[in-house]
């Protein structure tokens, strides 16, 4: 059994080691498309020495109060092919919490630091933007992912009230490398 001072030494050493681990994220390509009935979107990547940052401008043309569904996948490149490593789906306007989904709240927390984009409802007509977004090298989501090649895919759909079909709002794919 460890004594109290040994336990604290172990905790401090673990924290110090985790602070030394840093990852650099470089985005090599961005693919996106938006539904012009809902929004126009522009995405720009800036590759800098400490990693990539992203600017997003979106003009939303309709107010949306319900029925927004998002799928987020992180695919890892293995043997030349991308395979889904982490995936989540969520109804963004739902008042119910169906299970614990750590990916969406963690991403949302970061998004809100860089502009007025959010995974929270409702969405009102107008301009949404994000400037110089980057995931911190010591962010938990970055630390969980080992070095390698990845693609982060977001697919947002809207289902009108009393409609059975979902309309695509946007698809966005970031191809990146963590080193």
């Amino acid at each position: 059994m460890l004594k109290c001072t040994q336990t604290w030494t172990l905790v401090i050493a673990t924290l110090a080691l985790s602070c030394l681990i840093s990852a650099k994220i470089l985005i090599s390509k961005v693919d996106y498309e938006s539904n012009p009935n809902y929004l126009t979107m522009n995405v720009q990547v800036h590759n800098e020495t400490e990693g990539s940052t992203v600017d997003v401008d979106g003009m939303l043309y309709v107010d949306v109060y319900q029925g927004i569904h998002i799928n987020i996948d992180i695919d890892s490149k293995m043997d030349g092919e991308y395979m889904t490593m982490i995936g989540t789906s969520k109804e963004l306007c739902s008042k119910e919490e169906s299970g614990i989904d750590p990916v969406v709240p963690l991403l949302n927390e970061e998004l809100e630091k860089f502009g007025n984009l959010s995974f929270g409802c409702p969405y009102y007509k107008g301009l949404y933007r994000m400037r110089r977004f980057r995931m911190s090298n010591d962010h938990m989501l970055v630390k969980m992912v080992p070095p390698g090649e990845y693609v982060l895919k977001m697919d947002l759909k809207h289902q009108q009230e009393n409609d059975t079909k979902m309309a695509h709002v946007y698809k966005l794919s970031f191809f990146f490398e963590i080193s």
Side-chain angles (χ1 to χ4, degrees):
M1 180 183 274
L2 291 174
K3 293 182 181 177
C4 184
T5 56
Q6 290 173 317
T7 303
W8 280 109
T9 303
L10 184 61
V11 168
I12 291 168
T14 304
L15 286 172
L17 182 61
S18 69
C19 289
L20 291 175
I21 297 171
S22 68
K24 186 163 139 181
I25 301 173
L26 282 175
I27 298 171
S28 58
K29 179 176 132 182
V30 178
D31 289 337
Y32 64 95
E33 62 182 60
S34 59
N35 180 337
N37 294 325
Y38 282 90
L39 76 121
T40 55
M41 185 166 67
N42 184 38
V43 179
Q44 188 172 14
V45 174
H46 309 278
N47 284 321
E48 301 166 1
T49 55
E50 67 276 356
S52 297
T53 62
V54 178
D55 293 343
V56 176
D57 290 296
M59 179 58 78
L60 184 63
Y61 300 117
V62 295
D63 292 333
V64 182
Y65 301 98
Q66 54 73 39
I68 294 288
H69 301 268
I70 190 161
N71 293 318
I72 301 173
D73 290 325
I74 298 178
D75 296 356
S76 174
K77 193 171 191 178
M78 292 187 234
D79 298 325
E81 292 186 36
Y82 286 100
M83 304 177 112
T84 300
M85 191 173 88
I86 299 170
T88 188
S89 289
K90 186 166 176 82
E91 206 308 351
L92 296 179
C93 301
S94 175
K95 302 294 183 221
E96 299 174 15
E97 284 299 321
S98 56
I100 297 172
D101 180 350
V103 175
V104 173
L106 286 171
L107 281 173
N108 195 50
E109 186 178 294
E110 291 302 305
L111 281 175
E112 290 176 343
K113 293 177 184 177
F114 297 90
N116 66 344
L117 289 177
S118 168
F119 288 128
C121 279
Y123 298 97
Y124 300 106
K125 292 182 217 178
L127 181 64
Y128 290 85
R129 45 176 27 167
M130 180 174 66
R131 288 290 175 261
R132 296 290 199 214
F133 174 80
R134 72 183 295 271
M135 290 294 285
S136 170
N137 295 345
D138 62 352
H139 191 277
M140 184 172 73
L141 284 176
V142 176
K143 285 181 170 183
M144 288 177 11
V145 181
E149 292 181 52
Y150 298 91
V151 60
L152 169 69
K153 298 184 288 189
M154 287 190 237
D155 187 7
L156 192 80
K157 297 178 183 177
H158 180 234
Q159 184 173 2
Q160 298 274 350
E161 196 170 2
N162 301 322
D163 198 347
T164 57
K165 292 183 180 182
M166 286 193 227
H168 270 93
V169 177
Y170 73 77
K171 284 185 179 186
L172 183 62
S173 298
F174 289 100
F175 294 83
F176 63 96
E177 184 174 345
I178 296 180
S179 58

